[in-house]
Every structure is written in structure tokens, then in C-alpha cells.
């Protein structure tokens, strides 16, 4: 919950709409998409699980925030409700973002919530999960990852299309509890 609160606070600090008609040097756009698998899948995070998930309580989300400066330089923050992703998937997503939107790797930040209530994500934590699964389950994971990757790339495109003049602000504070 703390990470979600931090992400929400960050988005609120960054994505404050400018009053109607006012010009700004900054633009921002945000979008989200549900990434919850449609079919029961093995969940990540615990090696002692003995079966795939048997239902859904809440959606898992991918969210994108695109920030653009007055020169048109962009940065992307992606947040994923997943335990994590491996380097191969991260690079594949970044390569697709470069190909489709001209974004270089240094312009993209990918964050995961580290939920233990999400699916096995490709080869991430493979010895705990993927390598222990039956071949049919591995194919299901691979199929979901391919769909997920396309969703995330399209999500960034949606956030880019939603760019609007925005005010970039920041703050610093101290919590004493």
C-alpha cells in the first residue's frame, strides 16, 4: 500500500493541470490498462504454491505517465502490479517503445509493485516458478506475457496521445512516524 500511495502522490505532484487557456512549458499524459490474466495462471512470489490461481479479487494494473518538456523531450514512468520482470522482458518492452515512439532506454523507468498476488511473469524468478511448471502452463505464461507486452507498449502510446499542458511541481518533506 505504501508504494501505491507514493506513486499516487508522485502523479499528483507531477500531473497538475494548468488553468484553462494558460500555456506551460511542460506536458503530461497518463493512462492505465488492466493486465489481469483472463485464465487461471500460476502466481508468482511463493515457491510452495501447488496450483494456479482459482479466481480474482481485484484487477492488476499497468499505468503510464509520460512527461514532455518544452523541447519535446519525453520521459516515461511505467508502474506494473507484478512481482517483478526480468531483464529480457524489460529490454523487449524498451525496444518496442523505441521502435514505435522513438523513446531511448534512458527515457523509460519501469517500476513493479512486487505483489505476490499476480501471475508468473515469463522467466522472472524462473527457478521458483517457470522452470517448475508443466509445459502447458509454461505456454500459458508465455502467451500472457506476449499479450501483456503489447498492452504496455500500447498504454504508453495512449499516454502520449493524452499529453496536455501541465505544471511540474515537487516537494520535500519528513515523516516522523
Amino acid at each position: 500500500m505504501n508504494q501505491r500511495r507514493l506513486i499516487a502522490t508522485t502523479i499528483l505532484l507531477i500531473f497538475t493541470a494548468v488553468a484553462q487557456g494558460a500555456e506551460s512549458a511542460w506536458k503530461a499524459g497518463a493512462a492505465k490498462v488492466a493486465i489481469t490474466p483472463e485464465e487461471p495462471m500460476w502466481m508468482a512470489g511463493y515457491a510452495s504454491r501447488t496450483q494456479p490461481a482459482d479466481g480474482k479479487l481485484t484487477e492488476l494494473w499497468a499505468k503510464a505517465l509520460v512527461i514532455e518538456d518544452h523541447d519535446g523531450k519525453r520521459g516515461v514512468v511505467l508502474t506494473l502490479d507484478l512481482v517483478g520482470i526480468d531483464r529480457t522482458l524489460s529490454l523487449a518492452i524498451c525496444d518496442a517503445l523505441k521502435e514505435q515512439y522513438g523513446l531511448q532506454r534512458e527515457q523509460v523507468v519501469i517500476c513493479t509493485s512486487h505483489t505476490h498476488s499476480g501471475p508468473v511473469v515469463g522467466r522472472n524468478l524462473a527457478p521458483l516458478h517457470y522452470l517448475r511448471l508443466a509445459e502447458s502452463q509454461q505456454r500459458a505464461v508465455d502467451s500472457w506475457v506476449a499479450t501483456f507486452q503489447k498492452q504496455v507498449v500500447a498504454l504508453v502510446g495512449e499516454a502520449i496521445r493524452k499529453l496536455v499542458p501541465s505544471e511540474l511541481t515537487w516537494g520535500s518533506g519528513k515523516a516522523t512516524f
Side-chain angles (χ1 to χ4, degrees):
M1 189 63 169
N2 288 340
Q3 184 176 6
R4 285 186 183 180
R5 202 171 287 147
L6 173 63
I7 291 167
T9 301
T10 303
I11 290 172
L12 286 174
L13 289 173
I14 295 173
F15 194 60
T16 305
V18 174
Q20 285 183 325
E23 291 297 318
S24 172
W26 291 94
K27 291 182 181 179
K32 70 179 184 175
V33 64
I35 57 171
T36 313
E38 296 291 326
E39 302 298 323
M41 288 185 54
W42 283 86
M43 295 171 68
Y46 298 108
S48 63
R49 292 199 168 137
T50 59
Q51 62 188 25
D54 60 3
K56 171 180 77 170
L57 293 177
T58 61
E59 292 287 357
L60 299 172
W61 296 96
K63 299 175 185 175
L65 173 65
V66 176
I67 303 169
E68 182 178 288
D69 71 8
H70 66 283
D71 292 326
K73 295 178 189 163
R74 294 178 177 160
V76 178
V77 178
L78 281 172
T79 64
L80 311 172
D81 287 340
L82 299 171
V83 74
I85 63 174
D86 66 4
R87 181 174 171 75
T88 302
L89 180 55
S90 174
L91 290 174
I93 290 169
C94 289
D95 288 348
L97 293 175
K98 180 178 181 179
E99 182 180 318
Q100 291 191 31
Y101 309 115
L103 295 165
Q104 301 301 312
R105 176 62 187 100
E106 60 270 12
Q107 293 173 272
V108 180
V109 175
I110 302 175
C111 310
T112 62
S113 63
H114 195 83
T115 183
H116 287 241
S117 298
V120 169
V121 186
R123 305 311 188 279
N124 185 55
L125 304 171
L128 290 175
H129 306 302
Y130 190 87
L131 297 177
R132 296 175 143 197
L133 298 178
E135 193 174 317
S136 63
Q137 289 294 318
Q138 288 177 343
R139 283 193 303 273
V141 168
D142 294 341
S143 176
W144 177 80
V145 168
T147 299
F148 158 76
Q149 182 178 332
K150 290 175 187 170
Q151 287 177 301
V152 169
V153 173
L155 175 68
V156 172
E158 182 182 347
I160 289 170
R161 288 188 297 279
K162 290 182 174 182
L163 284 168
V164 294
S166 300
E167 184 176 302
L168 182 65
T169 62
W170 65 277
S172 179
K174 181 178 178 180
T176 60
F177 56 90

